[in-house]
Amino acid sequence: MDKKTKVTFSDIELSRQLFGEHNNNLRRIADAIGVAIHTRGNSVFIQGDTIEASLAQNVLRQLYGLLKSGYPVYPNDIDYAVRALSKDDRIQLKDIFMDTVYITSKKRAITPKSPAQKKYIDAMRDFDIVFGIGPAGTGKTYLAMAMAVAALSKGLASRIILTRPAVEAGEALGFLPGDLTEKVDPYLRPLYDALHDMMRFEKVSNLMQQGVIEVAPIAFMRGRTLNDSFIILDEAQNTTSEQMKMFLTRIGFSSKAVITGDITQVDLPADRQSGLIEAKNILQEIKGIKFVFFSKSDVVRHRLVQEIIKAYEDMETEKSS
């Protein structure tokens, strides 16, 4: 049954921002939800199925509320808002989008974009060991990096340690060209990319020279005790059981550790157990350790990434059926 709803916004300038240039934002909402949206002045008329029309109204009202609170709404935010409110219409976007984790050197605010990301941020604040498990593009590493940089800037940690398994897909470092740095850099490049997105290149370089920021393969963690640090283990699905145990037992006083990975993308040989999968199975009952799970609905990259993930999942489902 079709429903026609009128929504009027009191602030004309904010309503223009909400509608977008040439009403592009409204078209984005209408296409995503499957309703018709028309405007007259600072009023919006929504026509469509009762449930979809109510969703569109909820999205518009909450996005307008974000604008009133000084949050700049971008086209991607509209996608995230529709996705979140489609799953749970009781969600308050302000509670998610306005939880600023860090302001980058380019004055861009890093904030969670989904309920799972908000849960992840809260977990990193409240727990010393946090596992973020889910598909690529869900912000696991990026948000952990933002929390690490924020902790360093606030004096909550004296250094950041970023690590990854340096052997993936059966490749051994000894067979790769160059010195040790040149050999491991390709594996660690995503961590550098995230760092440089948040801090000026010169500042990152200086902090690395001082040892305040350390980026190293997981083998370099052996035999160390890491105190007063924010430690991120990325691509943890490619750690062996022994490596994961070694890493988790390096954590010292006043430290936080965040372990991220996608258990559907293990590159280890078939006869090796993934340390991340094993940790998921045996550590969930330990108080002080928090597991946060992401799904494809939490993907915050280009919208096509979500479609690609779904296509591959559908293919795997067909193969196994």
Side-chain angles (χ1 to χ4, degrees):
M1 178 180 169
D2 267 13
K3 176 181 180 182
K4 190 166 185 178
T5 306
K6 178 183 177 183
V7 186
T8 301
F9 302 99
S10 57
D11 189 306
I12 295 174
E13 182 55 40
L14 288 182
S15 67
R16 285 179 185 152
Q17 291 180 45
L18 176 64
F19 299 171
E21 190 174 355
H22 305 304
N23 289 345
N24 283 340
N25 290 349
L26 295 181
R27 271 196 288 276
R28 198 177 188 103
I29 294 169
D31 291 344
I33 297 176
V35 294
I37 299 179
H38 306 284
T39 62
R40 188 181 302 134
N42 55 328
S43 294
V44 169
F45 299 87
I46 306 164
Q47 186 159 6
D49 180 84
T50 302
I51 294 174
E52 280 75 16
S54 296
L55 172 60
Q57 183 178 357
N58 193 8
V59 168
L60 284 166
R61 287 192 186 281
Q62 293 213 38
L63 289 176
Y64 180 75
L66 286 169
L67 287 166
K68 281 186 73 174
S69 299
Y71 181 92
V73 172
Y74 297 102
N76 282 345
D77 292 321
I78 293 169
D79 299 338
Y80 307 146
V82 170
R83 203 181 303 162
L85 291 170
S86 295
K87 290 180 72 176
D88 185 352
D89 61 4
R90 297 166 297 177
I91 286 171
Q92 295 300 310
L93 295 181
K94 277 187 184 180
D95 295 341
I96 300 172
F97 287 18
M98 296 197 69
D99 183 357
T100 301
V101 177
Y102 183 70
I103 306 292
T104 71
S105 59
K106 297 175 183 177
K107 306 301 180 188
R108 185 171 60 83
I110 298 175
T111 67
K113 301 295 185 184
S114 73
Q117 285 196 352
K118 170 64 173 168
K119 185 178 178 182
Y120 185 50
I121 292 295
D122 289 340
M124 287 187 278
R125 290 180 176 131
D126 298 337
F127 292 84
D128 288 339
I129 298 178
V130 176
F131 286 81
I133 299 176
T138 49
K140 305 181 300 295
T141 304
Y142 196 81
L143 288 176
M145 189 76 77
M147 288 291 287
V149 174
L152 184 68
S153 66
K154 293 174 184 174
L156 301 176
S158 62
R159 58 181 173 163
I160 297 172
I161 297 172
L162 312 170
T163 185
R164 264 185 161 202
V167 180
E168 298 171 34
E171 293 179 331
L173 292 179
F175 292 97
L176 297 175
D179 61 19
L180 182 62
T181 301
E182 291 170 329
K183 288 177 178 182
V184 301
D185 261 6
Y187 297 105
L188 304 174
R189 180 53 50 193
L191 299 176
Y192 289 116
D193 289 345
L195 261 180
H196 291 145
D197 202 27
M198 295 173 198
M199 305 170 77
R200 294 190 315 276
F201 184 87
E202 300 80 9
K203 185 171 184 181
V204 172
S205 298
N206 289 337
L207 291 174
M208 291 184 74
Q209 287 175 8
Q210 297 166 28
V212 175
I213 296 178
E214 180 182 344
V215 185
I218 194 170
F220 283 42
M221 301 297 110
R222 194 173 300 280
R224 304 173 64 184
T225 301
L226 307 173
N227 294 317
D228 198 24
S229 305
F230 199 114
I231 314 151
I232 300 172
L233 169 56
D234 191 35
E235 295 289 327
Q237 75 274 8
N238 290 322
T239 59
T240 63
S241 175
E242 296 80 9
Q243 285 175 328
M244 179 62 77
K245 181 181 176 184
M246 178 272 291
F247 173 79
L248 291 172
T249 54
R250 298 306 93 204
I251 299 163
F253 294 107
S254 302
S255 286
K256 281 185 180 286
V258 182
I259 300 96
T260 71
D262 178 359
I263 57 176
T264 70
Q265 297 290 329
V266 177
D267 292 322
L268 294 170
D271 61 341
R272 302 301 299 272
Q273 164 79 299
S274 165
L276 180 60
I277 292 175
E278 183 179 70
K280 179 179 78 74
N281 292 336
I282 67 175
L283 300 180
Q284 289 200 52
E285 300 304 317
I286 297 179
K287 289 184 178 178
I289 297 179
K290 182 70 172 177
F291 283 79
V292 179
F293 295 94
F294 296 86
S295 70
K296 63 178 180 292
S297 66
D298 298 303
V299 170
V300 291
R301 290 183 183 168
H302 192 288
R303 65 174 182 82
L304 289 176
V305 173
Q306 194 177 19
E307 297 296 326
I308 291 166
I309 292 172
K310 183 178 185 302
Y312 275 97
E313 284 182 350
D314 291 345
M315 180 185 70
E316 292 300 323
T317 302
E318 286 180 15
K319 279 183 180 179
S320 59
S321 62

